[in-house]
Amino acid sequence: MKNLALSLALVALASGSAFGAVTSTTAHSTDSFGFEAQLSNTDLIAGQVGVEGADNGWHPATPGEPARLIQLTDGTTGAGLNGLLNDFPGAGLPTKIVSYDLGGQDIGGINILSGNDGADGRVFMTVAIYADNSLLAYVESDLPGTLNDQGWRSTFVEIFDDASATLAAGVNDLRLEFYTVDNTGGQYRDPFAGVNPFTGIDDGLSEAFVAPLIWEVDVLPVPEPASVALLGLAGLAFARRA
Ligand SMILES: [Ca+2]
Ligand SMILES: [Ca+2]
Ligand SMILES: [Ca+2]
């Protein structure tokens, strides 16, 4: 009996470290620029123009390239309709697929800023993230059914591993597949009709077909042990001075 409990615990631990420990937090602001100070222009994909996959194109209201792809990595919230993904990709299909070359680097975390000056359902965000073609995380900014009746203009999602400083190690190709998020009523819905294959849950709502505006994607490095040690030393020096 004891052995059984132990092996069950090990199974839980193994599955947890493989996938379950990847988690996310969401914050909203009524200010489009409410998360400007938290954006990075020195992250692993800063300034990189991503490579698009076979997807649903861009919303016709967006400006032409390179403004669309640059919006995702330029380190700022941006303005206007830059970053507006296309509506109506079809149920269960991503609307925008974009890949970045990380050259084998480790990822500490991924932050995604979405929003809309119009304070509607386009502020929500759903993404599936693949590291070298294997699913790293499927993230919804909010619970299905969440209504933006709060005047939210921006959404900041932080994705990380709550058991490790490394979200993914030695990544070459990082692929983000963004989905639609809303039904024109300002209500967050998942992009699937019926059971969501990522979560196994049927939210009981028809599939979202309205796309978000993606204003920034930050792929953060793993904090250097040296700088962590320096921070510790600085803290110690500070404590001694006090
Ligand atoms: Ca941006
Ligand atoms: Ca950035
Ligand atoms: Ca659904």
Side-chain angles (χ1 to χ4, degrees):
M1 208 52 203
K2 199 174 174 183
N3 280 344
L4 179 65
L6 186 66
S7 42
L8 281 176
L10 282 174
V11 167
L13 196 67
S15 60
S17 60
F19 188 76
V22 175
T23 187
S24 68
T25 62
T26 294
H28 294 288
S29 173
T30 54
D31 181 353
S32 296
F33 287 83
F35 300 101
E36 181 71 11
Q38 283 162 260
L39 303 182
S40 172
N41 56 17
T42 58
D43 62 286
L44 299 177
I45 62 167
Q48 195 177 130
V49 176
V51 176
E52 293 171 271
D55 59 25
N56 191 34
W58 291 88
H59 196 286
T62 53
E65 296 299 1
R68 295 158 169 166
L69 284 168
I70 285 175
Q71 164 66 311
L72 303 185
T73 59
D74 64 359
T76 70
T77 301
L81 295 173
N82 287 13
L84 175 55
L85 308 186
N86 208 2
D87 300 331
F88 300 110
L93 297 173
T95 188
K96 176 55 59 192
I97 301 172
V98 58
S99 295
Y100 296 96
D101 181 0
L102 293 194
Q105 295 180 91
D106 296 345
I107 300 172
I110 298 173
N111 296 345
I112 298 175
L113 175 67
S114 58
N116 188 10
D117 295 338
D120 58 10
R122 293 191 193 272
V123 304
F124 297 116
M125 194 281 299
T126 304
V127 67
I129 302 172
Y130 299 84
D132 294 321
N133 286 321
S134 103
L135 181 67
L136 180 62
Y138 169 81
V139 177
E140 301 182 4
S141 65
D142 292 80
L143 292 172
T146 301
L147 200 60
N148 182 9
D149 55 3
Q150 330 272 315
W152 292 333
R153 290 182 176 78
S154 55
T155 300
F156 192 63
V157 174
E158 299 178 75
I159 302 157
F160 53 94
D161 187 327
D162 63 5
S164 169
T166 303
L167 175 64
V171 178
N172 285 300
D173 176 66
L174 182 72
R175 187 171 84 250
L176 299 127
E177 301 195 353
F178 289 102
Y179 288 87
T180 44
V181 290
D182 170 55
N183 67 335
T184 72
Q187 183 184 52
Y188 175 72
R189 301 178 170 211
D190 80 12
F192 299 95
V195 175
N196 180 324
F198 292 104
T199 64
I201 294 167
D202 181 350
D203 65 6
L205 302 166
S206 58
E207 70 274 14
F209 55 84
V210 176
L213 287 83
I214 304 298
W215 285 342
E216 188 74 9
V217 178
D218 286 332
V219 179
L220 304 169
V222 177
E224 293 284 340
S227 57
V228 171
L230 277 175
L231 275 175
L233 280 176
L236 198 66
F238 184 77
R240 276 188 184 157
R241 255 208 312 274

